[in-house]
């Protein structure tokens, strides 16, 4: 079992550009959550996808959007990049209807906006 | 909204000694979960230990144990027999069940733990 995989591992973009990050959940998991972790901070919840729909959303602007595919993999899209979007983006997978399930995290994508 | 506070930005402990990391939280929920995650330099978050709020017994996982005080909204992590491999950032996290979906997690700002020889 490969666990949660994210791609790419590192990315450098210019202000104003758009970026897409990808996540494949752990085998058997159907829910994907995305987190933003700024340097020296704890992760902050962006949104969660289940059954190809956004189920919960944190306090992030509409520039942050996502998608979930039938195979449960997910993408995070960020439009009109700002310098403040530079962070580690973490994907976590889990199982819906299991409130106590452990969330498994990927190794993250380090996004740098210049 | 829930908040999680970790008041110790950095801590240091000698190998084989015991260290306690502090965490407090604020919530109006009655049913929730608390977690300690470890984030080594590899960046991957690894679950260390989990506590269900409805359970009075403190969770333990080998060298890791928690002191859960629900009334005080306190959730500290004790690491016994510290090992060099325990060196990492430790995050306290809160999760409240959301009907039909998995919990979203609210994290604290973390405690950097350094284990020394």
């Amino acid at each position: 079992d490969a666990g949660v995989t994210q791609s790419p591992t590192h990315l450098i973009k210019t202000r104003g550009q758009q970026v897409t990050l990808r996540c494949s959940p752990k085998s058997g998991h159907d829910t994907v959550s995305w987190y933003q972790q700024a340097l020296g901070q704890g992760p902050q919840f962006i949104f969660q996808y289940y059954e190809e729909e956004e189920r919960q959303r944190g306090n992030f602007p509409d520039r942050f959007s996502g998608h979930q595919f039938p195979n449960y993999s997910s993408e995070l899209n960020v439009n009109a990049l700002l310098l403040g979007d530079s962070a580690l983006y973490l994907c976590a997978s889990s199982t819906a209807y299991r409130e106590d399930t452990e969330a498994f995290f990927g190794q993250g994508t380090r996004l740098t906006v210049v | 909204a829930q908040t999680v506070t970790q008041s110790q930005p950095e801590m240091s402990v000698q190998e084989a000694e015991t260290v306690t990391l502090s965490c407090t939280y604020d919530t109006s929920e009655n049913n929730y979960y608390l977690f300690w995650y470890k984030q080594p330099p590899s960046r991957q978050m690894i679950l260390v230990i989990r506590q269900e709020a409805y359970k009075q017994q403190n969770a333990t996982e080998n060298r890791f144990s928690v002191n859960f005080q629900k009334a005080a909204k306190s959730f500290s992590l004790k690491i016994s027999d510290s090992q060099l491999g325990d060196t990492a950032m430790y995050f306290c996290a809160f999760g409240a069940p959301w009907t039909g979906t998995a919990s979203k997690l609210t994290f604290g700002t973390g405690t950097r733990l350094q284990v020394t020889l």
Side-chain angles (χ1 to χ4, degrees):
Chain A
D1 183 5
V4 180
T5 58
Q6 292 186 242
S7 63
T9 54
H10 295 85
L11 203 53
I12 299 175
K13 289 287 189 177
T14 303
R15 246 182 327 175
Q17 285 188 315
Q18 179 264 345
V19 69
T20 297
L21 311 182
R22 295 175 176 83
C23 172
S24 292
K26 180 179 170 63
S27 177
H29 285 181
D30 54 16
T31 300
V32 172
S33 301
W34 287 91
Y35 293 83
Q36 180 195 66
Q37 186 178 15
L39 197 62
Q41 300 296 316
Q44 285 196 298
F45 177 77
I46 302 174
F47 44 52
Q48 182 184 90
Y49 276 84
Y50 169 65
E51 289 188 331
E52 303 179 45
E53 289 187 15
E54 183 183 291
R55 299 291 179 164
Q56 301 184 63
R57 189 178 182 92
N59 189 24
F60 279 80
D62 292 344
R63 297 187 298 109
F64 288 78
S65 63
H67 188 77
Q68 186 179 35
F69 299 93
N71 66 353
Y72 308 120
S73 67
S74 177
E75 288 182 349
L76 163 65
N77 300 293
V78 186
N79 295 322
L81 284 167
L82 304 173
L83 296 179
D85 295 332
S86 295
L88 178 67
Y89 288 85
L90 295 168
C91 168
S93 74
S94 52
T95 306
Y97 293 97
R98 285 288 308 275
E99 298 168 344
D100 61 341
T101 189
E102 175 183 348
F104 285 81
F105 283 82
Q107 288 189 298
T109 295
R110 173 75 66 191
L111 172 65
T112 302
V113 182
V114 297
Chain B
Q2 292 79 29
T3 60
V4 177
T5 302
Q6 294 180 252
S7 58
Q8 304 154 314
E10 293 185 8
M11 293 196 73
S12 181
V13 64
Q14 287 192 317
E15 198 177 23
E17 297 297 307
T18 296
V19 64
T20 299
L21 309 183
S22 301
C23 173
T24 58
Y25 60 95
D26 190 24
T27 183
S28 58
E29 302 280 348
N30 191 49
N31 182 24
Y32 52 87
Y33 300 87
L34 295 164
F35 308 85
W36 278 98
Y37 277 89
K38 168 184 176 181
Q39 188 177 40
S42 67
R43 308 181 323 202
Q44 187 164 17
M45 286 281 192
I46 301 165
L47 180 65
V48 174
I49 198 166
R50 173 177 61 202
Q51 174 79 44
E52 291 88 345
Y54 64 87
K55 289 187 177 179
Q56 293 187 343
Q57 186 173 7
N58 290 325
T60 62
E61 286 287 344
N62 301 313
R63 299 182 295 109
F64 300 88
S65 62
V66 299
N67 183 2
F68 173 49
Q69 301 290 329
K70 190 173 183 179
K73 296 180 180 173
S74 170
F75 183 61
S76 61
L77 173 69
K78 185 171 82 171
I79 306 175
S80 303
D81 187 25
S82 296
Q83 301 175 359
L84 294 177
D86 295 334
T87 294
M89 282 291 290
Y90 286 81
F91 291 96
C92 178
F94 173 101
W98 186 271
T99 304
T101 68
S103 301
K104 70 174 186 181
L105 299 175
T106 300
F107 288 85
T109 53
T111 296
R112 184 176 302 279
L113 177 67
Q114 180 73 46
V115 181
T116 60
L117 291 171

